[in-house]
């Protein structure tokens, strides 16, 4: 029979575990700092007053530019000139030029109401929103119908008010 010496415990698992814990902790600290920096840059959840202001201005603007009657499309076009900038203004002018004739021919009235709006990003003078709308259309002599719509909106503060700079149907 052979004598077996008792096995010595290995000493490397404990130092390895400590090194791994230190590395994991360091990674978590770095990720936490990044998340904190992003949260500070995006004031959507921390600046209630500005967030409410953006939602109010953008909601009112959408209600005005997406509501019209056959008798007064000029008021809608004028509102768009005052409330839209950049790509949103160009996109709207192109779309409204096509719709304008149909509105008169079909005697179509459209009323748009913001159901819910939320600011997803707010930094500096720019905001991004997700907006849910109800649009009620009615042709003369026919029953009204309502449809839901969803938009991604980018707005920029100009002259103390938020103007829409980008619109995207979702």
């Amino acid at each position: 029979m052979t004598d077996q010496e008792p096995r010595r415990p290995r000493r490397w698992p404990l130092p390895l575990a400590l090194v791994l814990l230190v590395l994991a902790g360091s990674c978590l600290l770095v990720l936490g700092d990044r998340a904190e920096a992003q949260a500070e840059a995006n004031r959507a959840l921390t600046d209630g007053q500005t967030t409410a202001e953006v939602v109010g201005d953008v909601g009112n603007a959408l209600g005005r530019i997406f509501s019209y009657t056959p008798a007064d499309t000029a008021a809608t076009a004028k509102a768009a000139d005052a409330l839209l900038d950049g790509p949103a203004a160009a996109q709207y002018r192109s779309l409204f030029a096509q719709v304008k004739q149909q509105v008169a021919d079909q005697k179509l009235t459209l009323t748009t109401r913001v159901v819910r709006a939320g600011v997803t990003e707010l930094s500096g003078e720019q905001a991004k929103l997700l907006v849910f709308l109800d649009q009620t259309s009615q042709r003369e002599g026919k029953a009204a119908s309502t449809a839901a719509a969803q938009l991604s909106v980018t707005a920029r503060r100009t002259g103390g008010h938020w103007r829409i700079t980008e619109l995207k149907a979702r």
Side-chain angles (χ1 to χ4, degrees):
M1 241 164 66
T2 63
D3 262 1
Q4 288 184 350
E5 288 185 32
R7 289 183 122 181
R8 288 188 202 171
R10 293 186 181 163
R11 294 183 188 201
W12 60 268
L14 183 59
L16 180 62
L18 289 174
V19 168
L20 289 175
L21 281 174
V22 168
L23 285 174
S26 298
C27 288
L28 289 175
L29 284 173
V30 169
L31 291 174
D33 286 344
R34 284 185 188 167
E36 187 176 328
Q38 288 174 346
E40 287 174 10
N42 183 3
R43 300 182 346 252
L45 297 176
T46 58
D47 188 346
Q49 180 178 350
T50 304
T51 299
E53 182 184 304
V54 172
V55 168
D57 284 359
V58 168
N60 289 335
L62 292 172
R64 290 178 61 195
I65 66 172
F66 291 123
S67 296
Y68 45 79
T69 66
D72 195 11
T73 55
T76 303
K78 186 176 179 181
D81 287 341
L83 302 168
L84 301 176
D85 271 334
Q91 178 185 11
Y92 185 86
R93 277 191 291 273
S94 173
L95 175 67
F96 197 65
Q98 298 168 15
V99 170
K100 197 171 166 181
Q101 187 58 45
Q102 293 174 356
V103 169
D105 292 346
Q106 297 176 9
K107 295 184 176 28
L108 177 67
T109 298
L110 180 70
T111 305
T112 299
R113 180 176 67 87
V114 173
V115 176
R116 177 117 25 226
V119 179
T120 58
E121 290 181 39
L122 176 62
S123 59
E125 301 296 308
Q126 184 167 312
K128 293 187 180 202
L129 300 88
L130 181 60
V131 183
F132 296 89
L133 308 166
D134 275 348
Q135 294 186 300
T136 303
S137 61
Q138 185 172 16
R139 287 185 173 78
E140 189 175 273
K142 299 199 177 186
S145 64
T146 301
Q150 183 178 347
L151 296 173
S152 290
V153 178
T154 302
R156 178 167 290 288
R157 189 189 332 238
T158 305
H161 295 283
W162 291 88
R163 293 172 56 100
I164 296 171
T165 57
E166 292 180 42
L167 288 167
K168 184 177 176 185
R170 298 198 52 120

